[in-house]
Amino acid sequence: MVVYLTGNSRLKKELYIKDYLNKYTTYQYIKIFSNDEGKLEELKNASKSLGLFSDGKIYDLVDFDEWSKSEKEEFYKIEFPDENVIVLVRTEKAIQKDLKDKVIVQNFDKPKDWEDEKWLQFIMDSAKLIDVEISQEIAHELLEIVGPDEDAIISELEKIKIYSLGKPHIEDIEDITYKRTVSKLDEFAYLLSEGRLDDAKNLIFEVSNEYEPVFVLYALSRHFIELLNLIATVERKHKYSWPEIKEISKQTDIPIPRVTRFLGFKFKDSKFSPINHLEKYTLKEVKNILEYLYSMDRQIKLGADPKVVLANFITYLKNL
């Protein structure tokens, strides 16, 4: 069975897969990346190599859009059994017409900024997937506070889950979202990319205990993907004006607060001096960091301690 996970919401796909794995606890879960050697042979022999200790296999094709045209064409020819083998294909591209009758398609698009009702439903669905019981009133309050930002919503839901034991009340929401560990994952990511590695190291235990590894790695990947986007598209300068910041945010679809910090923009009355990341990193260095993050994901899936994996990442950045 092949299930295509289409659309531009990477996080909704992660949550869907997490829920999927909870239903197939006796299946072996295998992530396949575009640069894995022998991936096609593995998939061709999937039904022949079922393990003694699992009822089946779930393959997660993490970055199918990065596969070459010839690899995709070869993949399309593989006939998977309806039982025991499930292939989840993550893609942001449209499914070929001749495949639609042969596969299952699940779409995961982020709502448009103005589609409040869809954002409310997204909040409700996301809360359910991470075992947080919220009402429509709480979802509305959260949308009012956070806005139409997928990553911020998930981050706040994680905090709400921790501080309300999964059952929040409407009067708790503002206190939790404003007064508790605001944007801790984002701050952790910036500490890493800004080179404040000793401060980042001091946060490892706290971050690992408050967030599941999948969310930590997602936040770090998103952070460095945004940085890669900026390095690839923005003219490298020592300083950027406020009109330039707004235009860059519009062109890259990266929120203004994140662009300001990435580009080292300092507000007039601010005591904090952010680092201009475009002066600190090259395109190749950020690509290497993303490759390392992929390897971290594999290590954790194989049972490595997330705290050790994050500590090793800091060592990697020190030696970059």
Side-chain angles (χ1 to χ4, degrees), residues 129-190:
L129 284 173
I130 60 174
D131 299 319
V132 182
E133 297 178 15
I134 65 170
S135 62
Q136 191 78 14
E137 185 182 13
I138 288 176
H140 188 274
E141 180 72 10
L142 187 58
L143 184 60
E144 285 291 315
I145 294 172
V146 177
D149 185 323
E150 179 184 60
D151 304 304
I153 287 169
I154 293 296
S155 177
E156 296 304 326
L157 283 172
E158 281 287 312
K159 288 195 293 181
I160 289 169
K161 177 181 179 180
I162 292 166
Y163 290 106
S164 67
L165 301 179
K167 296 182 179 181
H169 298 287
I170 184 64
E171 57 269 19
D172 299 329
I173 301 305
E174 184 173 337
D175 182 57
I176 291 172
T177 53
Y178 275 132
K179 298 178 182 178
R180 307 278 191 176
T181 60
V182 176
S183 303
K184 186 169 292 179
L185 265 183
D186 278 340
E187 184 60 28
F188 180 63
Y190 280 114

Side-chain angles (χ1 to χ4, degrees), residues 17-46:
I17 291 170
K18 178 186 175 185
D19 187 52
Y20 208 88
L21 295 178
N22 286 336
K23 297 176 183 176
Y24 291 89
T25 55
T26 61
Y27 276 45
Q28 182 183 2
Y29 176 56
I30 303 168
K31 275 194 170 186
I32 291 184
F33 296 83
S34 59
N35 60 354
D36 286 346
E37 294 184 7
K39 57 182 179 289
L40 285 165
E41 289 303 314
E42 168 70 30
L43 291 167
K44 287 176 183 177
N45 296 314

Side-chain angles (χ1 to χ4, degrees), residues 287-301:
K287 285 183 177 179
N288 289 340
I289 289 171
L290 287 169
E291 285 290 331
Y292 192 91
L293 286 169
Y294 278 134
S295 73
M296 289 169 61
D297 183 76
R298 296 187 204 183
Q299 291 171 47
I300 289 175
K301 292 297 183 187

